[in-house]
Amino acid sequence: MSLPPEKASELKQLIHQQLSKMDVHGRIREILAETIREELSPDQQQLSTEDLIKALKRRGIIDDVMKELNFVSDNVDQELPSSPKQPVCFTDRQSTLLKKTNIDPTRRYLYLQVLGGKAFLEHLQEPEPLPGQACSTFTLCLHFRNQRFRSKPVPCACEPDFHDGFLLEVHRENLGDGTRMADSTTMLSISDPVHMVLIKTDIFAETTLVASYFLEWRSVLGSENGVTNLTVELMGVGTESKVSVGILNIKLEMYPPLNQTLSQEVVNTQLALERQKTAEKERLFLVYAKQWWREYLQIRPSHNSRLVKIFAQDENGINRPVCSYVKPLRAGRLLDTPRQAARFVNVLGYERAPVIGGGGKQEQWCTLLAFLCRNKGDCEDHANLLCSLLLGYGLEAFVCVGTKAKGVPHAWVMTCGTDGTVTFWESLTGHRYLHKPINPDEPPAAEQPKPLYPYRTIGCVFNHQTFLGNCQPSDSVESCVFDLNDESKWKPMSEEAVKSVCAPGATTSLPPFPPLCASTIDASVTSNEIEMQLRLLVSEHRKDLGLTTVWEDQLSYLLSPALASYEFERTTSISAGNEEFQDAIRRAVPDGHTFKGFPIHFVYRNARRAFATCLRSPFCEEIICCRGDQVRLAVRVRVFTYPESACAVWIMFACKYRSVL
């Protein structure tokens, strides 16, 4: 790789400075003089270059120089907020800080160390895992000012062995220029917390949200030497939000060290003022929301039964305005189109909030970081994320709250085109539906559009700036008119009131939105691994039935275009490439032979679980257990990766055999 002349001269100057600092020239002169005295025989006039280099190598000079000239590449994570930022982990806290990562000396950093956990009493009885034994693990995920970090997984235990360090850049987003370091007063005005999410992963790769905590880091600004130790008590989530799940020991340190620390009294006063200001804004919004709701009920008493959701509880059991769960979110270069974004949200796992005992659905809308780290969530979590991504693409998008068949509460996304087109986006499947309202005043014989969507009623729509309650005579979706500017059909909340508690930075209680991270899954390697595991499972299953198994690699390869076509169709709603696939299969299957194929789609990478699901399909079982003459089996797996390590896994089983009548 060639360098431009100015970079080359700059590099030479840096190397020269380092060599001068180490006094390499003086050491070389000493070694040369010593070598000439000891090794130059009387009949030799001079030493060769090779002899001199050997002498330098022997005394370790060259090794010392190469150790000191430690070249590292520029860190692109700071320029691309959508890239995953790997945790910076340190072993020797004193000496290796500058060697492990690039540190801009004009920037201010917060070095957060997690120094173990204790009192995770749920794991009190768990035995120590044997070396190499699969066990459940804890992973700590962090978000701070557009930076994402993830700890190394540690085995679940009563005292989990967390020992990780994270270097968080405080001086971001034009909070100062390169010539002036952010001082203590500037940093005291930065109210963004460090959001910490603890995830448990079991031996089957199933994830569980254990705790979600917002760390107030600014206490370090008033501590001596800019270093402080904290004991953080993590509380459970959902119905267990008042129950302690464990304690983390955390050390905070400012880097470079602060020239002047603030008094603890000043820090406490600032934090108290922020809490007071936030509480007052939330109180005023609550007063306004109550007044709005009274007015809404006066329009029509039946409105009391409509699903008008103004507040929703997050994973910590805190009531927050629903508009705060949505914000325009840009995916950088990780997702190219709105439909690809819908596909990404669709492949994130669906799981209703866990509830102990009966009594219906548990209310829990997750913060975005908790949803992404867990990689699964309820329909509201999916709808909020999809709406945020569509807003990021410049569409007029809203989350709709209503019901599906049998009165089941549900949330989906709606976009309104400039031409008046209304499109529903189902975040759990990626399907899109055009909405054409039925006119109830038309005579019975008149032909009405038949709705294809599964939605029955709609109570309200909202995004980051707008909240609208449905005040039409009927809340049936098929007869709804989505003219959102018509206040006789949709009662709006004051945009100023919504912004006062939901705009970025409006209150310190709002969790900042994290950027998306690129996938860490190697699609080719994962596809091969799952395919090999499925081949083994099929062979064992057929062996149990007394059948032999012969695999045909070429037939397996021919299935690839079909899987790619299926995923392309899921993403774009356009079918392509089917003709070539069918032609290739006709050529591969001789006359008198029969071909059968069965494609299936999963959003997880557990081969054994996928195989068990496939066997429940009579069509797939017929292929896997195929009997006949000259039976040849094939299986192809194709993993398509998406941000946050979400993936779509397509599997196709196939067989060909000679038809014997």
Side-chain angles (χ1 to χ4, degrees):
M1 185 178 74
S2 60
L3 287 171
E6 64 274 9
K7 286 286 183 185
S9 61
E10 184 183 337
L11 187 60
K12 287 177 184 175
Q13 186 179 358
L14 287 170
I15 294 173
H16 178 72
Q17 288 174 355
Q18 188 65 30
L19 294 178
S20 302
K21 181 180 172 184
M22 295 171 61
D23 191 25
V24 170
H25 300 95
R27 292 167 67 185
I28 290 175
R29 280 195 292 272
E30 289 175 13
I31 289 171
L32 290 183
E34 185 182 329
T35 305
I36 290 171
R37 283 198 307 272
E38 293 178 358
E39 300 184 14
L40 190 63
S41 58
D43 56 336
Q44 276 184 294
Q45 295 299 315
Q46 61 182 11
L47 284 171
S48 67
T49 305
E50 288 79 5
D51 293 331
L52 296 177
I53 290 175
K54 282 179 184 176
L56 293 175
K57 279 185 177 178
R58 204 162 49 240
R59 286 162 175 79
I61 293 292
I62 292 177
D63 288 340
D64 289 346
V65 171
M66 295 310 293
K67 282 179 186 174
E68 288 296 326
L69 295 176
N70 189 12
F71 298 105
V72 290
S73 59
D74 287 341
N75 190 346
V76 298
D77 287 334
Q78 297 184 9
E79 298 177 16
L80 300 174
S82 292
S83 301
K85 187 153 184 178
Q86 294 299 323
V88 185
C89 304
F90 309 111
T91 48
D92 181 356
R93 305 282 188 252
Q94 303 301 319
S95 61
T96 58
L97 181 62
L98 289 173
K99 292 182 182 179
K100 288 288 183 180
T101 186
N102 291 329
I103 293 183
D104 185 343
T106 66
R107 300 286 184 176
R108 187 73 75 181
Y109 296 90
L110 174 68
Y111 181 34
L112 186 153
Q113 297 176 64
V114 185
L115 303 175
K118 57 187 178 182
F120 285 79
L121 300 179
E122 191 174 328
H123 303 277
L124 188 62
Q125 304 297 329
E126 288 198 11
E128 191 82 14
L130 299 171
Q133 179 187 7
C135 65
S136 299
T137 58
F138 282 138
T139 307
L140 196 62
C141 304
L142 275 70
H143 168 233
F144 179 68
R145 297 182 69 70
N146 229 30
Q147 302 159 87
R148 296 269 303 273
F149 299 87
R150 182 182 286 265
S151 73
K152 298 187 293 289
V154 299
C156 292
C158 183
E159 296 186 356
D161 190 27
F162 286 111
H163 277 92
D164 274 298
F166 307 98
L167 200 63
L168 315 179
E169 189 179 336
V170 181
H171 190 288
R172 285 177 78 86
E173 297 174 8
N174 303 320
L175 278 165
D177 52 39
T179 59
R180 189 171 64 86
M181 177 81 71
D183 57 15
S184 302
T185 309
T186 304
M187 290 189 288
L188 187 59
S189 66
I190 301 172
S191 60
D192 298 32
V194 179
H195 191 183
M196 306 169 68
V197 169
L198 184 63
I199 300 293
K200 177 182 175 181
T201 309
D202 67 15
I203 57 174
F204 304 108
E206 288 293 315
T207 55
T208 309
L209 177 62
V210 178
S212 174
Y213 184 83
F214 294 93
L215 175 68
E216 178 51 73
W217 58 275
R218 286 175 289 176
S219 59
V220 73
L221 301 175
S223 58
E224 193 176 349
N225 303 321
V227 180
T228 188
N229 289 285
L230 303 172
T231 301
V232 170
E233 183 180 18
L234 301 178
M235 308 302 282
V237 296
T239 53
E240 300 175 33
S241 59
K242 307 297 182 192
V243 181
S244 174
V245 294
I247 292 170
L248 292 180
N249 295 319
I250 290 175
K251 181 180 179 183
L252 299 176
E253 183 177 354
M254 295 307 302
Y255 185 86
L258 296 170
N259 296 327
Q260 182 180 3
T261 58
L262 303 171
S263 73
Q264 199 64 52
E265 187 180 352
V266 169
V267 175
N268 292 341
T269 303
Q270 172 70 17
L271 299 182
L273 285 172
E274 287 179 2
R275 285 193 295 269
Q276 184 181 343
K277 187 178 176 183
T278 295
E280 180 62 15
K281 283 186 175 182
E282 290 175 345
R283 185 189 70 80
L284 290 173
F285 181 76
L286 180 60
V287 169
Y288 171 77
K290 285 181 175 178
Q291 176 64 27
W292 183 93
W293 178 245
R294 280 195 295 269
E295 293 172 359
Y296 182 71
L297 292 182
Q298 286 170 9
I299 297 171
R300 202 173 283 110
S302 61
H303 286 181
N304 193 35
S305 61
R306 294 189 180 183
L307 275 178
V308 179
K309 195 85 179 152
I310 303 174
F311 295 93
Q313 282 191 358
D314 65 10
E315 66 266 25
N316 290 324
I318 296 171
N319 272 313
R320 290 171 39 209
V322 291
C323 296
S324 67
Y325 290 89
V326 174
K327 174 192 166 187
L329 181 63
R330 290 167 58 175
R333 300 191 185 277
L334 301 179
L335 298 167
D336 296 321
T337 66
R339 295 193 187 190
Q340 196 178 12
R343 178 61 174 154
F344 156 59
V345 175
N346 157 222
V347 297
L348 289 170
Y350 169 64
E351 182 179 88
R352 293 177 63 172
V355 59
I356 299 172
K361 181 180 174 181
Q362 168 64 28
E363 166 83 358
Q364 183 178 307
W365 292 28
C366 281
T367 55
L368 183 56
L369 183 68
F371 177 38
L372 294 176
C373 294
R374 185 171 158 229
N375 239 240
K376 59 186 176 185
D378 213 332
C379 61
E380 294 88 358
D381 303 323
H382 287 79
N384 290 334
L385 175 56
L386 178 55
C387 183
S388 298
L389 288 167
L390 296 182
L391 287 168
Y393 282 111
L395 301 179
E396 188 181 14
F398 300 87
V399 175
C400 304
V401 179
T403 62
K404 293 196 297 184
K406 298 181 180 177
V408 177
H410 191 62
W412 66 97
V413 178
M414 173 183 75
T415 53
C416 301
T418 53
D419 58 353
T421 306
V422 172
T423 307
F424 294 147
W425 302 62
E426 177 47 62
S427 57
L428 296 180
T429 62
H431 294 160
R432 299 164 67 252
Y433 309 96
L434 280 176
H435 172 69
K436 293 180 180 176
I438 291 173
N439 186 353
D441 298 327
E442 287 280 342
E447 189 174 346
Q448 298 274 19
K450 290 184 179 178
L452 300 174
Y453 44 77
Y455 318 120
R456 294 293 179 265
T457 66
I458 182 166
C460 64
V461 300
F462 67 87
N463 60 20
H464 62 303
Q465 294 176 330
T466 308
F467 184 93
L468 299 155
N470 181 6
C471 54
Q472 297 172 60
S474 169
D475 63 351
S476 172
V477 177
E478 60 185 21
S479 62
C480 260
V481 176
F482 287 93
D483 180 3
L484 302 181
N485 295 317
D486 186 346
E487 294 192 12
S488 68
K489 293 181 172 62
W490 295 92
K491 179 173 172 57
M493 270 195 174
S494 160
E495 286 200 10
E496 289 303 315
V498 171
K499 285 180 183 176
S500 70
V501 288
C502 297
T507 66
T508 53
S509 63
L510 276 185
F513 267 47
L516 297 181
C517 285
S519 178
T520 56
I521 297 171
D522 186 318
S524 300
V525 171
T526 309
S527 299
N528 284 336
E529 286 176 353
I530 297 174
E531 193 170 304
M532 290 301 106
Q533 292 171 28
L534 287 175
R535 282 197 175 199
L536 187 61
L537 290 167
V538 170
S539 298
E540 288 177 350
H541 186 73
R542 287 177 62 84
K543 186 178 178 182
D544 291 343
L545 298 173
L547 301 171
T548 58
T549 306
V550 181
W551 295 100
E552 187 171 316
D553 291 339
Q554 176 62 13
L555 184 58
S556 296
Y557 181 70
L558 295 183
L559 304 177
S560 294
L563 301 182
S565 176
Y566 299 149
E567 182 62 23
F568 183 75
E569 186 175 355
R570 286 288 181 101
T571 306
T572 63
S573 303
I574 299 169
S575 179
N578 195 39
E579 299 82 1
E580 294 89 342
F581 168 67
Q582 290 184 359
D583 188 60
I585 293 298
R586 287 192 188 100
R587 291 175 179 276
V589 179
D591 289 342
H593 284 65
T594 300
F595 171 84
K596 291 181 179 179
F598 177 79
I600 192 168
H601 167 256
F602 299 100
V603 293
Y604 52 81
R605 305 187 301 278
N606 186 322
R608 190 172 291 277
R609 180 179 165 193
F611 182 66
T613 304
C614 291
L615 282 179
R616 288 201 288 270
S617 165
F619 301 105
C620 187
E621 188 190 22
E622 190 178 321
I623 292 170
I624 292 171
C625 306
C626 180
R627 299 171 182 266
D629 186 20
Q630 299 179 27
V631 175
R632 299 292 181 268
L633 292 172
V635 62
R636 193 65 171 173
V637 177
R638 180 72 166 86
V639 174
F640 297 88
T641 58
Y642 288 91
E644 299 297 328
S645 297
C647 61
V649 179
W650 282 96
I651 301 172
M652 192 168 189
F653 291 98
C655 69
K656 66 176 185 180
Y657 58 93
R658 187 175 179 184
S659 303
V660 180
L661 296 176

